[in-house]
Amino acid sequence: MPLDKDHTIVISPDAGALDRAIYFTSAMGADTGMFYKRRDYSTIVNGKNPIVAHEFLGSDIHGKDIIIVDDMISSGESMLDASRQLKEMGAKRVFICCTFGLFTNGLQAFDQAFEQQYLDKVIVTNLTYLSPEICQRPWFICADMSRQIATIIDLLNHSSSISGELEPWDRIHDLLIGYYAGRKVEE
């Protein structure tokens, strides 16, 4: 299925991740949407204000592939609620992508969401420790960042600019061109 606005939507699980979602949609030519977390600021539960509503703002997602992007999965509560709602709204597939996968409440909720077909894959970088237990899950994909980190270290050791590594627009564009051309692209 093509990665374009007719087949794919990049979703932000909250207002804080919207810039990330817009960045990817700009690179892909896809549409974007977000979830708005309405909280009860008069109450504190486990050190947080509870979410009373998690509402989707965006275009029709029926039959489309969804990519949810965020910087971190802590407990995963928001991501799992968003993926469940998106599947119930008719999303074809839901992919959760994040930089840091902490999974502070364990993996059981993700296992259950996968079994109930609320998510298809969870893609997490190896920039934090990932237990062997998570790496064996059928829903888990590790995005190996070793090459990028090694390149940044090498550039810093040679007093070179790392701006090209921090702004990967060209690499994303090249990956998409390779994808559309049907080539396997190594990154």
Side-chain angles (χ1 to χ4, degrees), residues 126-139:
N126 60 343
L127 296 175
T128 56
Y129 174 73
L130 298 170
S131 70
E133 179 185 16
I134 190 171
C135 295
Q136 297 170 358
R137 295 301 208 263
W139 46 263

Side-chain angles (χ1 to χ4, degrees), residues 14 19 25 92 97 118 161:
D14 54 39
D19 288 346
T25 58
K92 182 177 179 183
C97 302
Y118 289 143
S161 172

Side-chain angles (χ1 to χ4, degrees), residues 107-128:
L107 305 174
Q108 184 177 12
F110 285 86
D111 291 338
Q112 187 176 19
F114 180 72
E115 289 170 12
Q116 295 172 334
Q117 299 181 347
Y118 289 143
L119 64 86
D120 292 274
K121 295 290 179 184
V122 178
I123 304 161
V124 177
T125 70
N126 60 343
L127 296 175
T128 56

Side-chain angles (χ1 to χ4, degrees), residues 57-95:
L57 306 171
S59 60
D60 180 27
I61 57 103
H62 187 79
K64 295 184 181 183
D65 285 337
I66 305 298
I67 302 170
I68 304 173
V69 296
D70 206 356
D71 60 344
M72 181 185 332
I73 294 175
S74 183
S75 68
E77 184 179 304
S78 293
M79 292 282 216
L80 293 172
D81 184 51
S83 65
R84 178 191 54 76
Q85 285 189 52
L86 291 163
K87 280 287 191 147
E88 288 173 354
M89 293 167 53
K92 182 177 179 183
R93 296 183 296 179
V94 174
F95 303 95

Side-chain angles (χ1 to χ4, degrees), residues 3 7 37 60 100 102 133 136 138 146 152 166 176 184:
L3 295 170
H7 301 94
K37 292 181 189 177
D60 180 27
F100 305 110
L102 304 178
E133 179 185 16
Q136 297 170 358
S146 303
I152 289 171
L166 300 178
L176 289 170
K184 182 179 185 215

